[in-house]
Amino acid sequence: MKDNAKEIFPVVDEQGRTIGRATRGECHDGSHLLHPVVHLHVFNSRGELYTQRRPLWKDIQPGKWDTAVGGHVDYGETAAEALVREAREELGITGFVPEFITSYRFDSDRESEYVNVFRTTCDLDINPSDELDGGCFRPLDEIRLLIGQGVFTPNFEQEFVRLGF
């Protein structure tokens, strides 16, 4: 598998309003075109947080552990629509109740993202797709111990700390 460099993403301003469009390749080539993504933090009733492992074929942070659900908003799609689609595609979950937490800008050396963050608590059966290299629920204390050890994506680590999990 491989990411589709020709996939079309919206380009947004600092408030998340669409101002244009660009391909995945253009957004990930160091241009820093600001494009929207969604993150869903999935907790179970024991308070553990689900993390997914990014496959080695991903163009950004391959092999690192990351947010339960993370994906790009497609051009013409809302963040809420993208969240439902990505949760279904990545984890096979539907019918969950997302709670919006915040939006923020994330900059790496290759890209700039307008991140829309949600959380949910559910004990649904999670069935990771072939878009992932699996996943698991982890106690928050375990995650805290692994922060800064090269296990998680930098974005996940910054978001985990920022949200005070």
Side-chain angles (χ1 to χ4, degrees):
M1 269 185 120
K2 186 177 168 188
D3 284 323
N4 178 3
K6 295 184 188 294
E7 187 176 3
I8 303 294
F9 297 155
V11 174
V12 299
D13 64 15
E14 296 291 330
Q15 288 73 45
R17 295 179 298 232
T18 300
I19 57 171
R21 57 194 275 171
T23 65
R24 173 190 290 267
E26 291 167 330
C27 290
H28 289 180
D29 70 358
S31 67
H32 290 277
L33 292 169
L34 187 62
H35 57 287
V37 299
V38 291
H39 288 175
L40 176 65
H41 295 279
V42 178
F43 290 87
N44 63 21
S45 58
R46 294 183 303 279
E48 297 168 322
L49 181 61
Y50 191 89
T51 57
Q52 60 142 292
R53 185 165 188 265
R54 295 176 63 80
L56 295 176
W57 54 261
K58 293 299 283 181
D59 65 344
I60 303 282
Q61 297 294 324
K64 299 277 181 104
W65 289 85
D66 205 355
T67 309
V69 173
H72 290 90
V73 176
D74 289 337
Y75 188 77
E77 184 178 48
T78 67
E81 291 166 340
L83 186 72
V84 169
R85 175 181 52 76
E86 290 287 347
R88 183 184 67 251
E89 288 175 1
E90 293 186 358
L91 301 182
I93 61 173
T94 59
F96 62 94
V97 179
E99 172 192 341
F100 175 75
I101 299 175
T102 190
S103 295
Y104 66 92
R105 181 185 178 120
F106 175 77
D107 294 294
S108 72
D109 59 338
R110 290 187 55 190
E111 66 174 331
S112 295
E113 296 178 331
Y114 186 81
V115 185
N116 298 280
V117 185
F118 299 82
R119 68 172 286 159
T120 193
T121 300
C122 66
D123 291 309
L124 299 169
D125 287 335
I126 294 179
N127 300 298
S129 74
D130 59 0
E131 288 186 33
L132 314 178
D133 272 352
C136 63
F137 280 102
R138 299 172 188 262
L140 298 183
D141 286 342
E142 177 185 321
I143 294 171
R144 287 184 196 104
L145 288 173
L146 294 171
I147 296 283
Q149 304 299 314
V151 173
F152 299 109
T153 66
N155 188 244
F156 173 83
E157 289 187 353
Q158 289 177 21
E159 193 167 285
F160 183 88
V161 171
R162 171 185 284 157
L163 298 176
F165 292 150

